[in-house]
Amino acid sequence: MKKYTRAIITFIVFIVFITFIIPVVNGQNLDGQNLSVFPAIQEKLVKPGERTRIQIQFKNGADTALMGKLKVVDFVVTDKQGTPKVVESKELKSKYGASSWITLPNDSIAIPPRDYVSVDMGVEVPYDVSTCSKYALVYVEPLSETVRVKADFKKPETATTVSTRLGGIVTFNIENSNCKENLNISGFTFPKFQEYGPIKVKFDVFNLSDYHIVPAGYANISNLFGLPTDQQNIKEQRIFPEAGKSYDVDLGSKWMIGRYKILVNVASNGLKSVSRQQVAYVWMFPWRVALAVILTIIVMIIIVKNLITKETDLEEELKKEKNEIEKLKSQLRKRE
């Protein structure tokens, strides 16, 4: 019996040991930039047939002068990270491209060391505008290979680059009352069963509008009784027309038991604010901890049972000894 008890206790200790795992977080380093642009993204409301002007500044953070080409191009967004892809060919016109509206003052630029240059550009909006928003990228392509910056179209507050090019996105919002605003939630993935929390929920938001949107929303989780246990707001990110963005949210705590309801609610957050929802259910149960508890209870029952059995055997032995003593006393009395 002792042999089996030790084996069970050893197994329980092993289960408890593999149950608790400490995660390791890796750090990242970010490189600095010598060339920057302001504003990285600018918006301007225009009317069909209007003539106006826009301005953009390029700053050289290096100790040497920078010479480069000044260009304006269209771009498209094809991935779920929101990375613009430059349309180089004039034959491949973008549906939302506005590069043909912008006239550059010249095709080259020179920026002194630790200084900036403002570029003033003319804009001519055609009368027959077919969309509600148009976009263009005004960028500098340095002639020196020593000036290199990292691409980062994902963050509106940072500069945007393509290879050795750096530029700012110009958005033209056209006055139009018939603009469509819509979105769709797709790629909704979640675990159907999980041992520990939090629960990782992933989904994509696709922009079906005639202009860019910055969706706002949240993801929450409620227990079997309908009581909310956690809620996380989604990160607000710009999504261009006919493009999408990927989101992931962690919901709940580590210890969760039962059936939980996941609700994702996203609104376009534009002029009409169209909203969409997705609902899912997931079961949570820490089976290894439960197994360790059950095995511990079994071992305790075995130990207690053994103690009770030993105590009963001891009482019987004492009773026998007492009877023997009484017999001896009786025999001694008879001899006397």
Side-chain angles (χ1 to χ4, degrees), residues 183-186 203-207 215 239 243-247 266:
L183 59 83
N184 183 42
I185 301 176
S186 61
F203 57 93
D204 302 327
V205 176
F206 194 79
N207 183 12
I239 306 179
K245 277 286 182 71
S246 296
Y247 297 82
V266 180

Side-chain angles (χ1 to χ4, degrees), residues 1 16 19 46 51 56 61 69 72-73 81 83 115 117 132 139 167 173 189 212 227 240 249 255 282 293 301 320 326:
M1 181 62 70
V16 173
T19 298
V46 295
R51 291 186 178 183
I56 191 170
K69 297 178 181 179
V72 56
V73 293
Q81 286 71 45
T83 307
D115 203 353
V117 171
C132 298
Y139 71 88
N173 297 318
T189 58
H212 64 273
L227 300 175
F240 291 98
V249 182
W255 301 106
V282 58
V293 171
I301 292 173
K320 288 180 180 180
E326 291 296 331

Side-chain angles (χ1 to χ4, degrees), residues 266-278:
V266 180
S268 58
N269 205 24
L271 299 175
K272 301 177 183 179
S273 192
V274 179
S275 63
R276 294 288 182 267
Q277 289 186 350
Q278 286 281 6

Side-chain angles (χ1 to χ4, degrees), residues 241-261:
E242 300 182 8
K245 277 286 182 71
S246 296
Y247 297 82
D248 59 86
V249 182
D250 292 332
L251 294 173
S253 58
K254 181 176 181 179
W255 301 106
M256 303 169 68
I257 298 178
R259 187 171 183 255
Y260 288 83
K261 176 183 177 181

Side-chain angles (χ1 to χ4, degrees), residues 318-333:
L318 290 173
K319 189 176 181 180
K320 288 180 180 180
E321 293 291 336
K322 187 176 181 181
N323 291 334
E324 291 292 333
I325 292 172
E326 291 296 331
K327 287 180 180 180
L328 289 173
K329 286 182 178 180
S330 177
Q331 290 176 359
L332 289 173
R333 289 193 191 101

Side-chain angles (χ1 to χ4, degrees), residues 221-229:
I221 185 170
S222 54
N223 59 23
L224 186 63
F225 304 101
L227 300 175
T229 58

Side-chain angles (χ1 to χ4, degrees), residues 6-193:
R6 290 177 181 175
I8 294 174
I9 293 175
T10 303
F11 179 71
I12 291 174
V13 171
F14 174 73
I15 291 294
V16 173
F17 177 76
I18 65 174
T19 298
F20 303 98
I21 302 173
I22 302 175
V24 178
V25 180
N26 295 325
Q28 293 182 347
N29 294 323
L30 299 177
D31 297 330
Q33 294 185 355
N34 289 327
L35 185 61
S36 59
V37 61
F38 179 82
I41 295 180
Q42 60 177 304
E43 295 190 26
K44 191 173 184 64
L45 181 64
V46 295
K47 299 178 181 179
E50 179 182 353
R51 291 186 178 183
T52 184
R53 304 195 71 81
I54 58 174
Q55 191 178 79
I56 191 170
Q57 294 180 352
F58 293 95
K59 183 179 180 180
N60 178 16
D63 294 327
T64 57
L66 184 144
M67 304 290 292
K69 297 178 181 179
L70 184 62
K71 294 184 178 182
V72 56
V73 293
D74 296 330
F75 63 87
V76 293
V77 178
T78 57
D79 61 14
K80 294 178 182 178
Q81 286 71 45
T83 307
K85 182 179 180 181
V86 172
V87 179
E88 296 282 5
S89 176
K90 294 182 179 180
E91 287 75 17
L92 299 175
K93 294 183 179 180
S94 172
K95 177 181 177 181
Y96 299 95
S99 62
S100 60
W101 297 6
I102 301 174
T103 302
L104 298 175
N106 46 61
D107 58 0
S108 62
I109 188 172
I111 309 176
R114 302 292 178 180
D115 203 353
Y116 68 91
V117 171
S118 296
V119 179
D120 188 68
M121 297 163 283
V123 177
E124 185 173 351
V125 183
Y127 287 95
D128 55 342
V129 182
S130 59
T131 59
C132 298
S133 287
K134 291 279 191 175
Y135 308 89
L137 175 66
V138 181
Y139 71 88
V140 169
E141 185 174 6
L143 299 179
S144 173
E145 290 298 326
T146 59
V147 181
R148 292 186 179 273
V149 289
K150 297 181 68 176
D152 195 352
F153 281 95
K154 303 174 188 177
K155 302 177 182 178
E157 67 275 6
T158 61
T160 55
T161 65
V162 181
S163 182
T164 56
R165 309 164 185 170
L166 180 139
I169 294 176
V170 181
T171 300
F172 296 104
N173 297 318
I174 298 93
E175 290 187 0
N176 189 340
S177 59
N178 296 321
C179 295
K180 180 182 70 174
E181 184 173 330
N182 198 5
L183 59 83
N184 183 42
I185 301 176
S186 61
F188 189 41
T189 58
F190 57 93
K192 294 183 179 180
F193 174 82

